[in-house]
Amino acid sequence: MTEHWLPEFLRSPLAALIGEECTVTLVDQLNVFEPKCLRFALSKGLGLGIVLGGCVVKLPQLFKILKSKSVAGISLSSYVLELFANIITIAYNFRKGYDFTTYGEALFIGAQNYVITLLIMLMMGRASLGMAAGAFLVVFTYAIFSDTLVNSALLSALYGLTIPLVVSSRIPQIYTIHKNKYTGQLSAFAVFNYFFGTAARLYTTLVQVDDSLVLTGVVLATVANGILAVQMLYYWNAPAPKDKYRLDSKKNE
């Protein structure tokens, strides 16, 4: 039996993350270049990092909106489409029994998208629509997690639709930036975090998830997020156009 040189309070959470077999190989035996366990450990570590990053990725965007009292340059349709994709992604992966580290960021990003979507509607003078949309999303979320209301075949079909949905959720934002030649209140932190996060998620999906639907979605999301990242760099110092979605300007009208 291999002796444990690492203190138990450190070894236990590590074993919970990468499994006892790989903990013995990589840590206890210090065989850190064993291919199978090394790939798996890197994937689990990246996955955990992506999930933790998902907890805060949209907070800068939220704070930027609140500070500026403006949603200029931000596409409402992008957030609505992305939010639906988040909910379907969580339900599909959860009901398939996939490891939480392979999709967990969708939960936290979805919660932040929910708040930002309602905030955009409020600042665009659509508060009543925002309340109705918020209620509908709660009902939709309950339904899609229910085996009785949405069976596995329908859920798989819905998840398949999220692939073009994820891409189409980026298209309005990409078009808005291209049209305005300005990134507005779009958070650079969120854009670059998204790009690097989906690029890392591509690796974890290849290692841990044997699902062509999931892989296709991640590849296309990485490409779309890459385009946004390039736009963010290209229009970094672009001058701001007149802002018609600013709370202060609405009050003065």
Side-chain angles (χ1 to χ4, degrees), residues 21-49:
E21 180 182 348
C22 283
T23 302
V24 170
T25 300
L26 298 175
V27 179
D28 298 339
Q29 299 176 351
L30 294 177
N31 186 9
V32 295
F33 295 110
E34 197 283 321
K36 181 180 176 181
C37 283
L38 179 60
R39 286 196 302 269
F40 184 71
L42 285 173
S43 177
K44 294 286 282 189
L46 281 172
L48 180 60

Side-chain angles (χ1 to χ4, degrees), residues 209-251:
V209 181
D210 184 17
D211 192 317
S212 58
L213 273 178
V214 176
L215 180 60
T216 302
V218 174
V219 169
L220 292 177
T222 302
V223 172
N225 288 331
I227 294 173
L228 273 175
V230 170
Q231 285 185 312
M232 180 63 70
L233 290 172
Y234 188 76
Y235 295 115
W236 189 268
N237 292 316
K242 183 179 179 182
D243 187 350
K244 64 178 180 179
Y245 293 131
R246 185 179 176 88
L247 283 183
D248 292 347
S249 62
K250 287 182 178 291
K251 291 178 182 178

Side-chain angles (χ1 to χ4, degrees), residues 1 8 20 33 47-48 53 70-71 89 100 128 134 144 147 156 164 167 180 206 224 247:
M1 181 177 178
E8 195 61 30
E20 182 64 26
F33 295 110
L48 180 60
S70 169
V71 291
T89 296
F100 185 71
S128 57
I144 204 167
D147 293 325
S156 294
V167 176
N180 296 336
L206 287 168
L247 283 183

Side-chain angles (χ1 to χ4, degrees), residues 59-69 184-187:
L59 292 183
Q61 182 67 80
L62 179 59
F63 295 149
K64 194 170 184 179
I65 291 172
L66 292 173
K67 182 179 179 180
S68 66
K69 299 179 182 179
Q185 300 306 317
L186 195 62
S187 168

